Amino acid sequence: MALLPNSSLSLRAEQLQLGSADLTAERTTPAASHRRRRDFVFVVNPKGANGRTGKEWKKLLPYLRTRLAHHCNVCESVTSGPSHAIHITREAIREGAQAVIAVGGDGTLHEVVNGFFWDGNPLVSTTALGLIPLGTGSDFARTFGWKNDPYDAVERIAKGNKSKLDVGSIEGPTGDKHFFVNVADIHLSAKAGYFSSQYKKFGNLCYIIGALKAFNGHENRDLAIKVDGGKWESVTKVTAMCIGNAKYFGGGMKITPTADPTNGHLELVILQNFKWHDFLINLHRLYGGTHLSVKGVSSRSVKSIEVKEKVPCGDIYVQSDGEHWGFLSTKISLLPGAIDFLY
């Protein structure tokens, strides 16, 4: 596995000695024993979850070496800053890695997913995506019922089961595309996400702080949407608009409860004319995923959606996978089965 020419990461590939009960197809014939075992690249964000990710990774690595010993070369790539995981992933794919595993939270996963694309298009490869959830929120993992247990994650990776994973695409007026696997959202929730990212040192409390700051001066706004290439529709007094490929965001809020990242559809949930007290009253429903019957909440299945302001002001926040993307207008669409996913 080659290093990026300008990389400051530490990339370490190790030929390992101990055995595993799974993934032993390469040892079934004498000829197979001479084949080069392919690389599993683990992209680690050591600063994730206030440094907890790096500490847990160091504890996990010996077990990981043992569990995957007879299947692959374990390659450790440590990120050094924003967007680094994107470049690591692209380099790994170019070098023919069998899998790239995001080790961290939703932000690390988001960057690794974007590394599977170049110039708005998927890279042609057989590389699979994997996840060891060790972040602050780890909301994507919740859709599959996974907990922040790295040993369980290693077992999933060792078993090698794969599924085709849908990926969302988000683009602005310039046509530049960005990709997400969890939830893209607009207006209040996106603004709250923007603020919460500044308070990650407080753990999951950052989401509450972000929401409080976002409500300060918030106004519901009239938007226009075009679903699946149809006609433009007016949506009045929008508080938040969430487009889910998966179910959770904001540290465990089940905002798009019927979303499934393998079914070829996005779930669009719109909250209209909510006041701060409406959020407090319905907070348990939002976290439990039972809010779709609440007054002012609507949901539908879509494959693409364009969103713009009725009266352009340029101040409606947009985010994807908890990462600030920009401001309206935007088009969000789905790429069904774009990536092989280890589950």
Side-chain angles (χ1 to χ4, degrees), residues 61 65 206 223 230 266 311:
L61 193 54
R65 290 169 173 166
C206 72
L223 303 179
L266 297 164
V311 179

Side-chain angles (χ1 to χ4, degrees), residues 317-330:
Y317 284 70
V318 181
Q319 72 170 0
S320 62
D321 291 347
E323 304 295 316
H324 178 64
W325 178 81
F327 301 89
L328 287 183
S329 60
T330 187

Side-chain angles (χ1 to χ4, degrees), residues 133-268:
L134 281 176
T136 302
S138 294
D139 282 314
F140 183 74
R142 296 175 197 265
T143 290
F144 298 91
W146 300 343
K147 300 184 183 300
N148 272 11
D149 187 327
Y151 297 93
D152 284 350
V154 171
E155 289 304 301
R156 289 192 296 271
I157 293 165
K159 290 177 181 176
N161 296 325
K162 294 181 185 178
S163 176
K164 289 291 184 181
L165 184 70
D166 300 337
V167 175
S169 168
I170 181 169
E171 61 182 287
T174 63
D176 292 337
K177 292 184 179 179
H178 206 66
F179 300 91
F180 67 96
V181 290
N182 201 37
V183 178
D185 53 303
I186 296 166
H187 204 16
L188 179 66
S189 57
K191 191 175 182 180
Y194 174 79
F195 286 124
S196 69
S197 66
Q198 302 171 18
Y199 297 92
K200 286 292 182 72
K201 63 182 179 181
F202 296 111
N204 280 339
L205 186 60
C206 72
Y207 300 111
I208 296 175
I209 298 171
L212 292 173
K213 287 182 69 72
F215 261 118
N216 184 28
H218 170 77
E219 293 181 357
N220 296 325
R221 298 281 280 275
D222 295 343
L223 303 179
I225 64 173
K226 182 192 287 187
V227 173
D228 296 342
K231 296 181 179 180
W232 284 101
E233 310 170 29
S234 293
V235 188
T236 61
K237 299 180 180 179
V238 173
T239 307
M241 185 177 294
C242 303
I243 303 94
N245 185 46
K247 300 180 188 297
Y248 295 87
F249 80 162
M253 187 177 292
K254 198 174 184 179
I255 191 65
T256 47
T258 68
D260 179 347
T262 64
N263 71 355
H265 293 85
L266 297 164
E267 184 184 9
L268 169 65

